[in-house]
Amino acid sequence: MDFHQENCIGCGYCVSGCPFNVPRISQKDSKAYKCTLCSDRVAVGLEPACVKVCPTGSISFGSKVDMQELAAERVTELKERGFKNAGLYDPAGVGGTHVMYVLNHADKPALYSGLPADPTIAPTVTLWKSVAKPLAMAGMAAAALGGLFHYVMKGPNEVSKEIEAEVERELEGEK
Amino acid sequence: MTNHWSDIKNADVVLIMGGNAAEAHPCGFKWVTEAKAKNKARLVVVDPRFTRSAALADLYAPIRTGTDIAFLGGVINYLIAGNKVYVKTDPTLENPRCVWNLLKAHFARYTPEMVEKICGTPKDKFLQVAEMLASTHTPDRVMTILYALGWTQHSTGSQIIRTAAMVQLLLGNIGRAGGGVNALRGHSNIQGLTDLGLLSNLLPGYMTLPGEKETDYDAYIAKRAPKPMRPGQLSYWQNYGKFHVSLMKAWYGAAATKDNNWAFDYLPKLDKTYDVLQVFELMHQGKMTGYFAQGFNPLNSFPNKAKVSAALSKLKFLVIMDPLATETSEFWQNHGEFNDVDPAKIQTTVFRLPTTCFAEEDGAIVNSGRWLQWHWKGAEPPGEAKTDPEIMAGLFLRLREMYKKDGGAFPDPILNLAWAYKRPDEPSPEELAKEYNGKALADQFDAKDPTKLVKKAGELLDGFAQLKDDGSTACGCWIFSGAWTEKGNMMARRDTADPWHNGQTLGWAFAWPANRRILYNRASADPSGKPWDAKRKQVWWDAAQSKWLGSDVPDFKADSAPEDGMGPFIMNPEGVARFFARGMMNEGPFPEHYEPFETPIGTNPMHPNNPKAVSNPAARVFKGDMEAFGTAKDFPYAATTYRLTEHFHYWTKHVESNAITQPEQFVEIGEALAAEKGIKAGDKVKVSSNRGYIKAVAVVTKRIKPLQVDGKTVHHVGIPLHWGFKGVAKNGFITNTLTPFVGDANTQTPEFKSFLVNVEKA
């Protein structure tokens, strides 16, 4: 899971919608931030920085299937050591996660800094994705069509040089 | 360490006791994880607190602080009684005075019931641990023991470690890959400190300074170079003279001659040991004029801060060599409750000489596993900071000038010190490293073939086997010999090749002695020279070549055939390890449990009717310090100090990121004690001993449970020590305000880990 930072408008829906309470809105630039699993590094074939520097070798990185296999080995080992309920935290309710944990007591994930036992996608997000989004898309399409008609009928609406300069000054000020 | 960090992965059982590796040595702990993952190793943790190491253990047993000898003594009893031992030496073992029978009788008193009574460890837990440890008595299973300051910092510290060594010897776990008795060092290069003899009674390479009665050179050497006690044994210390003469040639060059006994009279002769407790006692008595604190913060690091502060106040001058502004450098400043002194009454002049830190200079650091690893400067030092050698050289050159000009009672040791560095004011790390490696002063020929030239005069030596006692070799630290040879800097090697898949990596850096990774490794093979365990092949006798080969450098005389009967413990004149140590330990030949000097139960259950045997009778207590001890009547709780992952000692409170992760001083109190005292998590509490008090935030935890000891309930209080009144973390109290001024009876390491406190809401 990652953001298109340049498109973020700081609406905060991701914060209220995240079942793991992860993203935060920056007070400095009002954009959302979270761990990106070093998508920039991963994109060029490197492991995330935490995996590379972890001094105790606690974090492994790989394809979902490889990691599930590694986790299965660890779970077998933990069970053999007496952790009957050892298991992988990869909750189905959210379609699995990209960061997975092998837990000694997988039956009680709340023991681990309050991991939710059965996380689901928040109704607002579901609503947005299943109902509101198509509606909004339809609305946007209608607006675009309307715009086209307006353009065809009235021609381009030019922005004066003064207004453009003012907007640029404001943007500079924000930086 | 007898073994080394990466060798921990070879273990079947890992015992962590007197340490908390997961928290205090997180990088090293990964080898425990490796042993668990690859070897199905079982981790056993014995500690007063349920530590982060305990959280990862297969078996955790609680223990009262300072009672480790009783616990390990109980293990020895369990092993002997259940015949779970792996020793077969004296074929009869029948004489009632033979060591085996004395050992049996001595430890038979440490029954599981006695262990429970002293340690507070429930009997069934103790027996589970003993059974797990005992599972390694077979040749195919090995246990490593990892310990740290939780063993050393007791008035019985040396004997605790000795008892652990006895457990390992009984189980046959010494000299084995995945075995050994392994000290996890705290400070970077603290291993190098003892190796180079920076303790007041030592010379480099574990040679010792003469005592004041030892004025005869030959007798001094003879005493330290024992002849074999049994036929066919090596008794390697017989070579002491070679190491010693080569050292004196390195130090005094041409001024050390056969005629002046290699400058023997230049060496100080000790009337007593000058350990730091002794030094601060003398300072406290007003008998010292000046003191150099080089990379040392005694106000924080030494017990009974009030005494240390009073002692520093009596000095005429104090020199601080440190990269940081330490508390010691400002001991004379009033910092409110944290350091309530009156500067007007302190006349000590303090000089601060800023030094570089390790990352600002080249050099070698010796790690816990005895590896000398060369490192390179990472940054230029800030401001006026200079390296320690540069400062010491500057002082030396000026002192020498003064002696030259003014003479003195005995200026020779100063005037004749060899100082042939390219820049006399700044000896380089490379020159110093070559000096401790050693070089030939005259052409060296093969002992068996005198026509064969081995080394030309001036060449670097290959190792300590080439040292001579005729003045023709020089070597600053015999155990480091081989670190920088004619082939180059062996410490800078970074070859990770591991052809035997046992983690010994002989091409990585240089391990003393002789690049050997596991000490006593001859014991990994049976008497006939065959490895005990085919899975862990370390050294073996090759009959065809008539020599010892191995995946490690054999710790043995290379051509001594098994049938010659040489024992694996070649440093001992008898060739075997010692269960019964005559004249070595101040308490006597066998370890015995004694209570900490501040005991929560007031009696020693091993000697309930002998008031003189409550605490270590061999320990040294100075006048006034005994009176400063508290009793359980006023200070009912057993306290112990420790360190946290987020901080290193008193340094990292000067670093913002560390200060953010652990900003404020706290103490850990169990839920039961907190309920009794009405203390809630987050309350400010006052923790006091008979020597002072600190105030800190209370962390109320499940990790510390009350123990039943000798019919009494004993609560522990855990006190991390990283705070002070300098740095960027929140200012706090110096934890060692609370600790008692008494040390181990052999090493004088202070008893930081066991003392008594009271806790109340502040």
Side-chain angles (χ1 to χ4, degrees), chain A residues 54-57 74 77 80-81 83 104, chain B residues 26-27 30 36-37 40-43 58:
Chain A
C54 179
T56 62
R74 281 281 294 142
E77 190 205 325
E80 181 254 338
R81 280 173 198 277
F83 293 99
N104 290 1
Chain B
C27 296
K30 78 172 164 212
K36 286 175 77 180
K40 288 192 189 297
R42 291 295 188 259
L43 171 61
D58 295 284

Side-chain angles (χ1 to χ4, degrees), chain B residues 61 73 78 149 174 187 330 403 440 574 610-611 741:
Chain B
Y78 178 93
L149 303 178
I174 295 287
H187 282 273
E330 292 193 8
Y403 273 103
E574 61 270 45
N610 184 356
F741 203 86

Side-chain angles (χ1 to χ4, degrees), chain B residues 31-71:
Chain B
W31 298 109
V32 177
T33 312
E34 190 96 350
K36 286 175 77 180
K38 302 275 154 68
N39 229 13
K40 288 192 189 297
R42 291 295 188 259
L43 171 61
V44 184
V45 172
V46 182
D47 201 285
R49 297 181 299 132
F50 187 81
T51 59
R52 283 182 177 177
S53 305
L56 293 165
D58 295 284
L59 188 54
Y60 163 73
I63 183 177
R64 176 165 63 98
T65 172
T67 63
D68 306 62
I69 291 177
F71 192 102

